[in-house]
């Protein structure tokens, strides 16, 4: 049986393995007969040492080389798209087309190119100059970044290809990628391409390193190591909070994207006048990618009364007819079923038929449950348990006051959505509820579902705890996502020739700088 | 005996006190016979509830009202300067002039006015607009902020008057001020003036609240409460890390400024050619305010050899002649003496005579110790113990390589300073050492001591852990300091009339906005 090597300091080498893992093929339920090593601390230690050296080299490298690396890497991904798509489909069961080939892959390369632009234009560095005091500051790389990617986006959030990876590299940091154990082969292919691109443009050898897995304890040791600048994590709340605890105690930065139920509010006028749109969009949003999206709407708040009744009934029908998509993990269906049972135990009604759990292919029938506003308020924690897949919970609210009470019980979420009447009927309710909802979310949306996360300079893919670990930053969008991986460095009375070029009197390119409180590209 | 009331929701009321504390007069060593309550959780709970209400009101308040509040408060501070200075002198022993009247008070009011400008111009909000996707984002207030001020700046870092206070208010957050127990009376006077200013301009009642002290456990509960947006803490490492642990576990934001020894490197050419400047500036920097400044140079790295010998000998002479300033705390002198003894136990030489610890006035003879580079490298942790006062440690380095090894053992610091020859003799050494030093500090300084911390837009009063808890942000300087107390809020497809005015098509003032990657004040 093949055993795959890890990438340390530019060399693929045999891991110091504690044991081995295999990925699954979700479309058959069978293990894929390829062993990936679970690395011991020795592997992490070697990666950290090499990354420290790479970081020192990266700090004196021209921005242009980093930009070219990201672009060369994007090109290699495009040239190798079929192999990447095939491997990702094998390991995740995600449809090759349009999902992997036509959506996620272009998103990933687009993201790398946006990161390249951020690196080239130094837009993430926020150069700030006070001419009177001769004090100048900017963000610079924070140090080696460990990236833990999630299972649901093998490309766009992949440890060696996704948003955190691109953001960290653009900010001049080497990355230690920890593959998600559901798609180690995909991550390996990316790391190979990244390494080739790094060699092509002359990046330091340890710019990108790859390990596949570690024990929990080794993971905690990695994120708390003094050589590490920061960690970027996307995944489950339990795993993320355990890593956060370790990193926090050691004073190491960690940026987490955790779970979110992404409440969607349907106001009265919208239920009456835009029901069909909501029915279609909500169903699509819960079933595309089998609902395994961080911004899937897991809570739908619908008014009681006839319009709401019809809307919910129609959604239940559509859910019932929707083919059950393939789930990523062996236990995904079980987890959905357990949460659904827990909800039923507190009185939730099941609006779609209960079926046997599948054998073979990983899947679960598309499921809709419903609670009353009162039930939600009585058990807000259980009602906010994330069902990561094609399942969602409706809350029937009796009044704006009850909706306000429901919102006040919400945990922090990535998104919150309000559908309201297009002609303004709901505007008074909107203004009451929006203020409450906005406190609880990172992105407030009108009249569309939250599952599209544009890679936009203005995006916030973040939100209050526990949806993330830091409400002030975003994991998606450039240049902002790179700022997370920067340390603020101030140069006070430093002689001009010793300054980073971005802070010298002459603007070294078309770089936006905040000079005496005014944004400008001019020289001093 | 007078018992002082706490300020909750706009009303001065009797605390639910667990016990009482008294401040000391450091110039006599005697307690000041005024009781200040140690608040129970009930007081904190009441403050949190009131702050939550105030925060909701603040979110709909015009920016201009917040700006006017900060300005009205600055004016009231100026009108009441004599009383503030007198009380602060009584409680801290800091000289009334120039220190309190002519330096710290104008700094404080200047800072409040800079915060007012940041609020008025929304410069801290970083409005970002993507016209193509109609996604718009900005920072908005994070929620009630608890401010724990340090003992050494009763005005400029005071819980109800200083940098964290001003930054939090400018970002639209109410403040729960926890007075430093060394100057409760001073903080009370500030809170009175702040409350008057709040009433004058129509700020919510609980914009500024004041408690004097809590038990440790109650403090931990406060910083981890779900109603709190964030905490700003400046003070000792032990107290700060304990609060950080509590806040981190609850997922609440906390910004800490902890200890720092602020290494100063003297390169060979500087030792030879600029010795007198260094002697004068270093002595001044270690003795002003009795060395009780967060950026006091606690480590001076001087080359071995004759020029270095003369320099160190001259500093020792000056230290010996320097009058011992008054220290803030009853145990300050003891702590310096203990650390000095610990340093001597590992071989440090004492370069200034050892005297008896004083009785009465809080003070300690100005003290200089010295270790070899080798001794430092063998015991880096002990050699980096902060002596918070008029004492410092010289390290004699034999070579650039040894200096590099010393730097590599440094913990994170607020500042790092390099004195180098003015005609360029040291440039090669500089470029080797600067890169290493920069990694370890938030502010890199040339040719002057680190103790001046200008309130500048480009300042970084921050640095890598453990000097602070977050290397990406600064506690001093506007608008940056306010960003810490902001949550990123994104508006995706939100109808224009529902957007915050800062994000609407028409720029509502002269507000800098990042529109499609370009900074502009223009309308869309």
């Amino acid at each position: 049986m093949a055993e795959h090597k890890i990438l340390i300091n530019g060399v693929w080498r045999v891991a110091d393995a504690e044991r081995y893992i295999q990925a699954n093929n979700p479309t058959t339920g069978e293990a894929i007969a390829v062993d990936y090593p679970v690395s011991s601390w020795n592997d992490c230690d070697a990666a950290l040492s090499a990354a420290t050296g790479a970081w020192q080299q990266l700090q004196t490298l021209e921005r242009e080389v980093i930009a070219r690396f990201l672009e060369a890497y994007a090109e290699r991904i495009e040239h190798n798209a079929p192999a990447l798509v095939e491997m990702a489909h094998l390991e995740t069961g995600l449809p090759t087309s349009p999902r992997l080939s036509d959506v996620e892959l272009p998103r990933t390369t687009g993201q790398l190119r946006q990161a390249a632009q951020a690196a080239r234009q130094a837009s993430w560095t926020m150069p700030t100059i006070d001419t009177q005091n001769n004090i100048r500051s900017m963000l610079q790389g924070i140090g080696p970044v460990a990236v833990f990617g999630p299972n649901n986006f093998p490309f766009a959030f992949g440890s060696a290809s996704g948003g955190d990876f691109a953001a960290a590299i653009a900010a001049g940091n080497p990355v230690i990628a920890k593959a998600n154990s559901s798609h180690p082969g995909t991550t390996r292919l990316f790391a190979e391409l990244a390494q080739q691109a790094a060699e092509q443009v002359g990046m330091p050898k340890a710019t990108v390193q790859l390990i596949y897995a570690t024990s929990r304890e080794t993971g905690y040791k990695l994120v708390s190591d003094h050589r590490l600048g920061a960690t970027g994590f996307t995944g489950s709340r339990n795993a993320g909070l355990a890593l956060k605890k370790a990193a926090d105690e050691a004073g190491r930065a960690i940026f987490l994207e955790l779970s979110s139920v992404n409440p969607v509010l349907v106001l009265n006028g919208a239920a009456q006048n835009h029901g069909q749109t909501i029915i279609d969009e909500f169903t699509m949003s819960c079933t595309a990618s089998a609902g395994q999206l961080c911004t899937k709407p897991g809570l739908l708040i619908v008014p009681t009364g006839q319009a709401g009744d019809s809307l919910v009934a129609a959604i239940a029908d559509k859910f019932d007819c929707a083919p059950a998509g393939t789930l990523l993990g062996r236990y995904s269906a079980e987890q959905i079923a357990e949460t659904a049972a827990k909800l039923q135990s507190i009185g939730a009604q099941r609006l779609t038929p209960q079926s046997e759990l599948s054998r073979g292919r990983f899947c679960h029938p598309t499921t809709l449950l419903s609670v009353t506003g009162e039930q939600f308020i009585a058990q807000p924690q259980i009602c906010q348990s994330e069902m990561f897949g094609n399942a969602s919970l409706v809350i029937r609210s009796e009044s704006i006051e009850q909706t306000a009470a429901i919102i006040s019980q919400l945990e922090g979420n990535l998104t919150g959505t309000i559908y309201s009447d297009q002609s303004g009927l709901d505007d008074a309710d909107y203004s009451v509820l929006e203020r409450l909802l906005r406190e609880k979310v990172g992105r407030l949306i009108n009249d569309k579902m939250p599952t599209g996360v544009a890679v936009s300079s203005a995006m916030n893919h973040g939100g209050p705890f526990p949806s993330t670990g830091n409400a002030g930053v975003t994991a998606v969008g450039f240049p902002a996502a790179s700022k997370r991986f920067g340390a603020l460095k101030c140069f006070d009375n430093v002689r001009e020739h010793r300054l980073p070029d971005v802070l010298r009197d002459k603007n070294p390119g078309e770089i936006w700088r905040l000079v005496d409180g005014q944004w400008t590209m001019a020289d001093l």
Side-chain angles (χ1 to χ4, degrees), chain A residues 34-48:
Chain A
V34 182
D35 278 353
Y36 290 94
V38 176
S39 278
S40 73
W41 174 246
N42 290 337
D43 288 344
C44 296
D45 186 55
L48 284 161

Side-chain angles (χ1 to χ4, degrees), chain A residues 442-457:
Chain A
R443 179 164 56 113
L444 185 92
I445 302 157
N446 277 187
D447 313 317
K448 63 172 194 176
M449 288 295 158
T451 34
V453 183
V455 184
S456 155
S457 59

Side-chain angles (χ1 to χ4, degrees), chain A residues 282-452:
Chain A
F282 181 73
T283 307
M284 171 65 85
S285 198
C286 290
T287 56
S289 302
Q292 300 164 109
L293 302 175
C294 13
T295 56
K296 183 207 71 180
L299 289 183
L300 183 71
I301 305 174
V302 178
T304 51
Q306 207 189 330
D309 289 348
S310 311
L311 186 122
V312 172
I315 292 172
D317 278 352
K318 280 206 112 165
F319 267 44
D320 192 19
C321 300
T326 299
L327 295 170
L328 292 154
R330 187 172 290 285
Y331 301 106
S332 303
E334 208 170 289
Q335 280 158 358
I336 295 171
E338 273 171 18
T339 304
K342 206 163 51 170
L343 287 166
Q344 285 184 279
S345 77
I346 60 151
Q349 255 193 293
R350 183 182 281 272
L351 305 182
T352 46
Q354 184 152 19
S355 328
E356 284 278 296
L357 280 185
S358 66
R359 292 172 205 281
R361 181 172 77 99
F362 301 158
C363 64
H364 187 276
T366 303
T367 299
L368 193 67
L369 298 111
S370 173
V371 291
T372 64
E374 234 169 70
Q375 285 170 329
F376 181 90
I377 291 162
Q379 296 280 4
Q381 215 175 342
I382 290 176
C383 291
Q384 290 177 80
S385 309
E386 191 178 17
M387 292 186 282
F388 196 67
N390 50 338
S392 198
L393 177 67
V394 174
I395 308 168
R396 300 302 301 274
S397 173
E398 287 170 16
S399 61
I400 293 304
E401 293 67 35
Q402 191 173 63
T403 303
I406 292 165
I407 296 174
S408 76
Q409 292 298 322
L410 289 174
E411 293 189 317
N413 275 281
L414 297 172
T415 70
T417 301
I418 305 181
Y419 277 84
S420 58
D421 181 77
Q422 288 294 343
S423 57
L425 286 181
D426 292 320
D427 275 16
D429 293 347
Y430 180 95
S431 74
V432 171
L433 297 175
E434 183 267 352
R435 205 167 302 146
L436 301 173
L437 184 62
R438 196 194 329 151
E439 278 182 34
K440 306 288 183 141
V441 305
R443 179 164 56 113
L444 185 92
I445 302 157
N446 277 187
D447 313 317
K448 63 172 194 176
M449 288 295 158
T451 34

Side-chain angles (χ1 to χ4, degrees), chain A residues 129-131 134 136 494-497 499-509 511 513 515 520-524:
Chain A
I129 299 176
D130 168 353
T131 58
N134 190 23
R136 307 175 191 216
V494 170
R495 302 182 199 170
E496 209 219 338
H497 70 282
L499 289 167
D501 70 342
V502 169
L503 294 179
R504 290 189 194 154
D505 291 357
K506 185 169 166 41
N507 190 321
I511 294 175
R513 311 193 294 182
V515 178
T520 175
M521 286 189 187
D523 299 335
L524 294 194

Side-chain angles (χ1 to χ4, degrees), chain A residues 16 71 140 247 358 417:
Chain A
D16 183 33
E71 288 164 347
Q140 297 189 330
S358 66
T417 301

